[in-house]
Amino acid sequence: IVHVLGRGGLGEVYQAVGPDGRTVALKAFRLQDDDQGLTAAAFVREAHLGHRLNHPDIVRVLDTGTDGDHAYLVMEFVPGHDLRHHTRPGRLLPLAQALHTAERIARALAAAHALGVLHRDIKPGNVLVDPATDTVKVTDFGLARLGEAFRSRTGIVAGTPGYMSPEQLAEGVIGPHSDLYALGVLLFELLTGRLPFETSSLGALLQQVASRTAPRVTTHRPDLPAAVADLVADLLERRIDRRPCDALAVADRLAALRQQTQAAPAAPVGGPKSRG
């Protein structure tokens, strides 16, 4: 182990060096039995999802296992930082780059959905980017479902509430459309520096997401093209039957918008409002 890269609800992530000298990312956490039967076998079964996801925009899982009461996941090491860096006023990506990043995430989701795998926790912290090498990598696919087993222990809804679809917050049936709602929240934040719904409590968030239409992204960025605002609005539709469910089709829309943006004359960037 070289040093700690970060800590989260499921454990710690380290930069480490493998037996072959390769730099890797090592995620480790303590396994405990609880009323949902979280065991080492369950961890390994879910973590092996990562082995099935072979896509250039998904972090590769290299190894999984357990050591005593700890489980670990060895992943490729991605230099750079996560997308949280680009959700702050003054650090937002140019429009074309934001659309391209969202397109890459959508293509990664399409590959996972084709295998019947949902992510369940798409958010800026789970997308690694390295502008120097044009790298975009979605991470934590293998642990997405495992997080649900921690719900009874923590009392917290599985996932990250601010990015969760109405059906996920309501603990209803989720599907590819649920991941695409989260992608819509992420894109909204990349473009504005704020979330569509910003509340002081989980209860208020549940009420707003379930009953209100998300604000258009042009509320905070009037300089953005209407077609971009339309796509974000489609992704943030409360009703599942009105929301896109095909990640590949969403990726193609994002690619077309990016090409239109790059071909159009540059417009002045409207500064996002500060978080209130």
Side-chain angles (χ1 to χ4, degrees):
I1 291 176
V2 179
H3 61 80
V4 176
L5 293 172
R7 291 185 170 88
L10 294 181
E12 293 77 39
V13 183
Y14 305 92
Q15 180 178 335
V17 178
D20 59 358
R22 175 169 45 173
T23 298
V24 297
L26 176 69
K27 176 167 287 192
F29 55 89
R30 186 182 299 275
L31 287 169
Q32 301 176 18
D33 287 329
D34 64 5
D35 60 356
Q36 294 195 28
L38 179 63
T39 64
F43 164 76
V44 172
R45 183 172 62 251
E46 295 298 343
H48 273 301
L49 284 173
H51 289 291
R52 299 169 52 202
L53 299 172
N54 184 16
H55 188 275
D57 295 330
I58 296 176
V59 171
R60 285 183 295 120
V61 174
L62 306 174
D63 193 16
T64 60
T66 58
D67 182 9
D69 59 356
H70 281 78
Y72 63 86
L73 185 72
V74 184
M75 303 170 290
E76 68 172 310
F77 176 75
V78 182
H81 50 265
D82 64 53
L83 273 182
R84 287 177 295 185
H85 181 82
H86 297 294
T87 62
R88 303 166 188 167
R91 294 183 178 177
L92 302 184
L93 297 170
L95 175 57
Q97 191 173 351
L99 294 173
H100 184 53
T101 300
E103 176 196 342
R104 302 266 295 268
I105 298 168
R107 296 197 187 281
L109 287 173
H113 294 166
L115 294 174
V117 176
L118 302 177
H119 190 286
R120 293 175 168 82
D121 197 18
I122 289 292
K123 60 184 179 182
N126 279 339
V127 181
L128 307 176
V129 295
D130 182 14
T133 58
D134 189 32
T135 296
V136 177
K137 296 270 189 181
V138 180
T139 190
D140 272 4
F141 268 101
L143 295 182
R145 285 192 61 190
L146 187 64
E148 297 179 5
F150 285 76
R151 182 177 357 174
S152 62
R153 188 185 310 158
T154 63
I156 298 174
V157 176
T160 306
Y163 301 87
M164 290 167 65
S165 64
E167 64 273 12
Q168 193 171 1
L169 284 169
E171 300 185 61
V173 177
I174 64 173
H177 47 266
S178 307
D179 279 345
L180 291 174
Y181 181 97
L183 177 62
V185 177
L186 183 151
L187 182 55
F188 190 106
E189 191 175 16
L190 285 182
L191 295 172
T192 68
R194 58 193 302 166
L195 295 172
F197 298 103
E198 295 181 324
T199 63
S200 58
S201 69
L202 179 58
L205 177 68
L206 289 168
Q207 192 276 331
Q208 289 192 20
V209 170
S211 62
R212 295 188 185 180
T213 298
R216 283 181 69 82
V217 71
T218 44
T219 301
H220 308 293
R221 285 282 304 275
D223 60 293
L224 293 175
V228 171
D230 289 344
L231 174 56
V232 176
D234 287 347
L235 292 169
L236 295 179
E237 272 283 354
R238 291 200 314 273
R239 287 181 49 174
I240 293 173
D241 60 341
R242 295 182 177 178
R243 193 188 315 151
C245 63
D246 184 337
L248 193 57
V250 169
D252 289 343
R253 282 181 70 180
L254 286 161
L257 287 171
R258 174 174 54 85
Q259 291 168 1
Q260 294 168 15
T261 298
Q262 291 174 327
V269 175
K273 299 178 182 179
S274 61
R275 295 179 187 264

